[in-house]
Amino acid sequence: MLCTALMLSGAGCSDFLDESDRSNFTVENYFTKPEHAVSAVNSIYDALKTTTGGGFGGAPWMMLEFATGLANTELGQAVNSIFVRNLVNNSDNEYGRVYWVSSYKGIGNANLAIAKIPGIAMDEAAKKKVLGEARFLRAWYYYNLVRIFGKIPIITDPVGLTSENLYPEAATEEAVYNLIVADLTEAEASGLPYLDKTGRVSMGAVKSLLASVYLTMAGYPLQKGAEYYKKAADKANEVIASNQYSLFPSYDDLHDPSKKNIGENIFMVQFAANIQPSNWQTSIIPYNQGISAYSDETGAIFANKEFVESYAKGDKRAEEKQFYYRTYTLSDNRSQTVDLGGYYIYKHFDTAAQLTTTSSDLNWPLMRYAEVLLIYAEAQNEVGGPTAEAYEAVNKIRRRANLPNLTGLTKEQLREAVWKERWYELSFENKTWFDMVRLRKAFNVTTKTFENYVGHKFSYGPVLKERELLFPIPTAEIRNNNKLVQNPGY
């Protein structure tokens, strides 16, 4: 009867059966409304969450901390952490695979947005802004990939099963950095607001990331030197001169959910309690000592004693419950305080979640204003020596830590003083290993001096080799794409 009715109306039954279901979204029919542009860009943010986390298997973000030699674990079954910490890592490490896959997933979503959003009929200013977000996020993922893995494939167009670029060759590191700079430069011209309290990409985030990229390009592996130190200093100074950001007066503000996306927090991974809570809380508390409302206490990561005790005498960051903690009350008797026997990470600690809610509202920090100040201080010193402006940038960090101002230093002395502030201020924020690689330097916690990366001995024994300047390309990627070449030493 249905087919007869369709034939009478002039439509054949086969036409009906062949017609696509217009309620079934595809790439071809989806990108038609302004809401689709926003939704497409939202999907790019999602991959930022993938590397954070915790639990009894550890989490990918810890890979970059154990590689510094400054972290420890009580979690014997977290072999991915232990292999990195003991410098016996291999290409089967699940942490590395997650970084690779999640980054390229974000890149894939960004490529789709960048390709399709221009064809949507919508307000042109709004269109430029969402495209600016997409380009920033693509740059972010490539920046992580190139620093972690070195030579990697560049993919800038949507890829399907029949695409010529389904099995791409790896590009040079310089080519990847050129793409990153191009994307961020376009994002700078996109009209994004300088601040965005919702946590979306802002102009401040774009300029801050560009400053970081230029600083890295000045060092290893590209070694572009003075020109790029100046670019880094100039870009960081644009953020400083904007007066849109400031250091929090208290370190407690760094892990206060009410301070998300404001003040010092330039760009963060977004989480929301009881909706999509952050999930590293069980990892940064000691193993089964009964201090938390969480049922799992994994001790997955904490700071090496030697590192925390290398902070200068009087440095507020090393005081109890500033950046670290070694005492806490018991969950079944909050009037009783116990010594935990180690230095656990307090800067990512959600007090409300640990005491009562077990649902964390904390965001994960990706860039904060303290880093921008330190980028400026380092880069400006490289360009013009110990200027008043370079001193003031680093001294703002030191004054908050109750340390005296630096003064009267040579260029070489200020250089290492700023490096030391980066190690101490940005600890356990996935910054230190990247610094070690771009500088080819490691911090000796005993002598409190810097020495060559290759040959540096961790305080607990292992010695860094040249291969540890990169992580191995995941086994599955090598097997799936015969154009990829494994990094040396793996």
Side-chain angles (χ1 to χ4, degrees):
M1 291 293 291
L2 176 60
C3 192
T4 302
L6 287 167
M7 291 176 71
L8 289 172
S9 68
C13 193
S14 62
D15 294 333
F16 171 77
L17 295 174
D18 290 341
E19 186 175 346
S20 62
D21 179 359
R22 297 189 182 188
S23 68
N24 183 24
F25 288 123
T26 65
V27 170
E28 289 71 29
N29 71 16
Y30 182 69
F31 290 89
T32 58
K33 300 178 181 179
E35 295 89 341
H36 296 166
V38 175
S39 177
V41 172
N42 287 348
S43 73
I44 312 171
Y45 285 90
D46 191 62
L48 294 174
K49 298 181 175 72
T50 311
T51 54
T52 63
F56 282 99
W61 69 270
M62 299 176 193
M63 177 179 88
L64 300 178
E65 299 303 333
F66 287 115
T68 67
L70 304 177
N72 205 341
T73 183
E74 297 171 293
L75 199 53
Q77 66 265 45
V79 294
N80 295 308
S81 297
I82 293 168
F83 286 172
V84 174
R85 185 176 190 270
N86 292 338
L87 303 182
V88 293
N89 192 31
N90 60 56
S91 61
D92 292 328
N93 194 305
E94 179 67 8
Y95 295 166
R97 189 196 68 81
V98 171
Y99 264 106
W100 182 285
V101 171
S102 65
S103 296
Y104 274 113
K105 181 179 179 181
I107 288 165
N109 287 337
N111 290 342
L112 192 61
I114 291 166
K116 297 297 183 180
I117 288 174
I120 298 177
M122 61 185 291
D123 178 79
E124 287 301 313
K127 182 185 290 186
K128 283 186 68 175
K129 288 179 182 178
V130 292
L131 285 170
E133 290 179 69
R135 288 192 178 275
F136 170 92
L137 291 167
R138 184 168 72 176
W140 179 272
Y141 293 123
Y142 271 121
Y143 190 36
N144 277 340
L145 284 170
V146 73
R147 290 182 295 168
I148 292 171
F149 299 108
K151 295 179 176 67
I152 55 167
I154 290 178
I155 305 169
T156 56
D157 298 312
V159 174
L161 293 176
T162 59
S163 299
E164 291 182 5
N165 208 23
L166 185 59
Y167 299 104
E169 295 181 352
T172 65
E173 288 152 305
E174 183 155 15
V176 179
Y177 276 103
N178 288 341
L179 172 63
I180 293 167
V181 170
D183 271 348
L184 292 175
T185 302
E186 288 228 20
E188 268 194 302
S190 65
L192 289 165
Y194 224 102
L195 291 168
D196 193 319
K197 294 180 181 180
T198 70
R200 301 186 77 87
V201 175
S202 66
M203 189 60 65
V206 174
K207 291 180 181 293
S208 298
L209 182 57
L210 196 47
S212 174
V213 170
Y214 285 146
L215 187 71
T216 299
M217 293 176 76
Y220 290 93
L222 300 187
Q223 293 183 275
K224 289 186 173 291
E227 178 187 357
Y228 278 75
Y229 280 120
K230 186 175 190 312
K231 286 176 180 282
D234 290 347
K235 197 58 60 181
N237 193 47
E238 288 181 33
V239 180
I240 295 168
S242 74
N243 293 318
Q244 298 295 310
Y245 303 98
S246 59
L247 296 179
F248 287 130
S250 169
Y251 295 127
D252 290 339
D253 295 329
L254 294 176
H255 53 108
D256 180 348
S258 71
K259 304 295 174 66
K260 299 193 296 190
N261 308 318
I262 61 174
E264 189 168 342
N265 292 317
I266 296 176
F267 189 56
M268 313 182 84
V269 186
Q270 304 298 304
F271 293 97
N274 302 310
I275 299 171
Q276 193 167 37
S278 54
N279 55 352
W280 58 83
Q281 292 302 311
T282 61
S283 293
I284 60 170
I285 54 180
Y287 183 74
N288 286 351
Q289 292 209 37
I291 69 166
S292 175
Y294 285 97
S295 59
D296 295 339
E297 296 181 323
T298 70
I301 187 168
F302 61 101
N304 276 1
K305 173 178 181 288
E306 293 83 0
F307 173 60
V308 178
E309 294 181 357
S310 74
Y311 279 70
K313 184 178 181 181
D315 192 325
K316 187 175 181 180
R317 294 168 294 194
E319 293 177 3
E320 178 68 11
K321 294 183 178 62
Q322 298 299 317
F323 279 11
Y324 314 97
Y325 69 106
R326 63 173 298 139
T327 64
Y328 214 76
T329 58
L330 294 175
S331 59
D332 59 359
N333 182 4
R334 289 299 178 193
S335 66
Q336 183 178 350
T337 299
V338 293
D339 190 317
L340 305 172
Y343 293 99
Y344 294 85
I345 303 165
Y346 202 66
K347 62 161 63 171
H348 299 310
F349 191 94
D350 186 335
T351 304
Q354 295 282 1
L355 290 178
T356 57
T357 68
T358 67
S359 186
S360 177
D361 200 41
L362 274 186
N363 284 350
W364 181 266
L366 294 177
M367 287 188 298
R368 56 188 180 93
Y369 186 57
E371 181 182 3
V372 174
L373 290 171
L374 291 169
I375 289 172
Y376 178 77
E378 180 181 349
Q380 183 62 29
N381 182 57
E382 294 299 330
V383 172
T387 63
E389 294 79 10
Y391 273 126
E392 179 58 14
V394 66
N395 284 336
K396 283 181 179 178
I397 306 291
R398 289 177 59 83
R399 286 197 293 269
R400 182 170 63 170
N402 289 342
L403 294 175
N405 285 340
L406 298 173
T407 186
L409 304 180
T410 66
K411 179 178 181 178
E412 291 72 22
Q413 289 170 333
L414 181 57
R415 174 188 295 143
E416 294 207 7
V418 174
W419 290 352
K420 193 178 293 185
E421 289 304 316
R422 287 187 65 94
W423 256 250
Y424 289 145
E425 177 68 25
L426 304 177
S427 63
F428 296 95
E429 295 181 43
N430 286 173
K431 304 292 180 180
T432 304
W433 182 78
F434 289 138
D435 280 342
M436 291 168 68
V437 171
R438 74 175 174 88
L439 297 170
R440 296 294 194 265
K441 295 291 183 181
F443 183 59
N444 186 313
V445 294
T446 302
T447 64
K448 302 184 184 181
T449 59
F450 289 89
E451 54 196 31
N452 289 336
Y453 182 101
V454 177
H456 170 70
K457 185 176 182 179
F458 290 169
S459 62
Y460 51 91
V463 176
L464 285 167
K465 303 177 290 298
E466 188 171 0
R467 76 164 200 159
E468 275 92 32
L469 291 166
L470 294 170
F471 283 88
I473 297 173
T475 300
E477 303 303 322
I478 295 288
R479 288 175 177 169
N480 291 339
N481 183 358
N482 60 18
K483 294 178 184 177
L484 297 180
V485 177
Q486 186 55 273
N487 286 325
Y490 293 102

